[in-house]
Amino acid sequence: MTEQQPLKGRVALVAGATRGAGRGIAVALGAAGATVYGTGRSAEGHRGEYGRPETLEETAELVTAAGGQGIAVRADHLVPAEVAAVAARIEAEQGGLDILVNDIWGGEELFGWNVPVWEHDLDKGLRLLRLAVETHAVTSHHLLPLLLRRPGGLVVEMTDGTAEYNATRYRNSFFYDIAKAAVLRMAFALGHELGPRGATAVALTPGWMRSEMMLEHFGVTEATWREATAAEPQFGISESPAYVGRAVVALAADADRARFNGTSLSSGGLALEYGFTDLDGSRPDAWRYLVDIEGTDDPVDPAGYR
């Protein structure tokens, strides 16, 4: 362990590491010196449901280039036997696990915005729930025994929205709302089960994240993302995937992280707590911004929330 690589010697599994937050977290953990196993379905020769080009192998290469050791393992987290095999491999190669990030999602194309449940495609809605909820349960079942072998383990359940924000706001659709609420509750439940055993579980949400899919939607790159604010001024509050990655690193490196056990956290909130920044040196706080602009027609400059 060094000041530059505070997680040297730690072993992490990022479930859902192919793109977006998962990739950002995996690379940040690598930069902090960790050995990072990245799992998912999108690997070389195997495209996931999105049909996108990103692969687990690319993520592993980025982790290694950042200063860690990246290991790509293709696995479908809806298949318990495949997740059990991941756990067996990590046990054989590392003897234990220090950090588990549950980032499996895959539901972007499965829900309709503001479509009531009786009009929503039922097959897609149920598929979303399986991908967003069942996968997390399967992963925890098989990996937590390995994590508990070492003291001070950390579990991060990735979701969208804090518990406080989601508690009083409808989130897009019946299925999406339930999925995100369920993951928040998972962190709460795991906190009760892991806390007495010396580990910490939290729920963590990024803000408006500039994932590969989001950048493509706006026709920009990470280098040129500000050009999109001309058409969508609120995109000015957006953040890179590296930002939430740095949030996970800060938590994992904090010897007193147990104070957050069972709670809901955000990348912007943890940036204020720990002092890290996004790639551009700012500290975007999307959830504070979203609360402050509710019920007003006046434009609010996102720059004041960075």
Side-chain angles (χ1 to χ4, degrees):
M1 180 187 299
T2 66
E3 184 176 344
Q4 290 75 28
Q5 290 197 314
L7 302 183
K8 190 76 173 178
R10 304 271 191 95
V11 179
L13 168 62
V14 180
T18 309
R19 60 183 67 84
R23 176 173 283 190
I25 292 168
V27 174
L29 289 169
T35 295
V36 183
Y37 288 78
T39 60
R41 293 171 299 166
S42 299
E44 291 180 359
H46 300 275
R47 288 202 173 190
E49 292 178 23
Y50 292 155
R52 292 192 56 82
E54 299 89 12
T55 66
L56 287 168
E57 289 81 3
E58 290 172 352
T59 299
E61 290 171 2
L62 290 170
V63 169
T64 301
Q69 180 183 6
I71 302 170
V73 184
R74 185 175 183 271
D76 186 338
H77 285 252
L78 281 175
V79 182
E82 294 189 17
V83 181
V86 172
R89 176 173 173 177
I90 296 175
E91 179 181 25
E93 295 177 355
Q94 308 296 336
L97 183 67
D98 301 291
I99 303 161
L100 171 61
V101 180
N102 265 328
D103 186 52
I104 297 289
W105 164 229
E108 273 90 349
E109 298 176 352
L110 295 176
F111 69 93
W113 286 77
N114 297 314
V115 178
V117 63
W118 58 90
E119 295 178 3
H120 201 287
D121 184 290
L122 183 58
D123 288 339
K124 287 184 176 181
L126 295 177
R127 175 69 174 171
L128 183 152
L129 291 178
R130 291 200 71 207
L131 286 170
V133 180
E134 185 176 330
T135 57
H136 288 231
V138 170
T139 303
S140 290
H141 176 82
H142 286 292
L143 272 300
L144 290 183
L146 196 58
L147 182 129
L148 287 171
R149 287 188 179 182
R150 297 177 175 175
L154 173 66
V155 178
V156 180
E157 289 285 344
M158 296 299 298
T159 188
D160 175 30
T162 63
E164 180 182 13
Y165 185 89
N166 287 4
T168 58
R169 293 167 179 86
Y170 168 68
R171 298 306 312 280
N172 308 331
S173 82
F174 173 91
F175 294 104
Y176 189 96
D177 196 300
I178 287 177
K180 299 309 178 182
V183 175
L184 286 164
R185 194 68 185 183
M186 282 183 187
F188 175 79
L190 287 174
H192 282 270
E193 297 180 358
L194 294 177
R197 295 171 172 84
T200 299
V202 301
L204 177 61
T205 178
W208 189 349
M209 192 178 60
R210 296 191 297 274
S211 65
E212 295 87 352
M213 295 175 72
M214 187 60 64
L215 291 172
E216 187 174 282
H217 172 76
F218 282 106
V220 294
T221 66
E222 181 57 37
T224 65
W225 71 267
R226 290 184 182 277
E227 294 177 6
T229 61
E232 178 49 82
Q234 290 187 2
F235 198 53
I237 196 60
S238 66
E239 62 195 58
S240 76
Y243 194 47
V244 74
R246 292 173 176 180
V248 172
V249 168
L251 277 171
D254 183 359
D256 191 31
R257 60 185 168 275
R259 69 189 188 276
F260 295 119
N261 187 42
T263 66
S264 163
L265 306 168
S266 69
S267 51
L270 287 178
L272 293 177
E273 175 77 20
Y274 291 112
F276 63 84
T277 68
D278 203 348
L279 296 174
D280 62 359
S282 69
R283 295 190 178 97
D285 192 347
W287 299 103
R288 182 167 61 91
Y289 172 77
L290 289 173
V291 169
D292 285 356
I293 66 172
E294 283 183 341
T296 178
D297 294 326
D298 297 328
V300 178
D301 186 358
Y305 296 81
R306 297 190 70 89

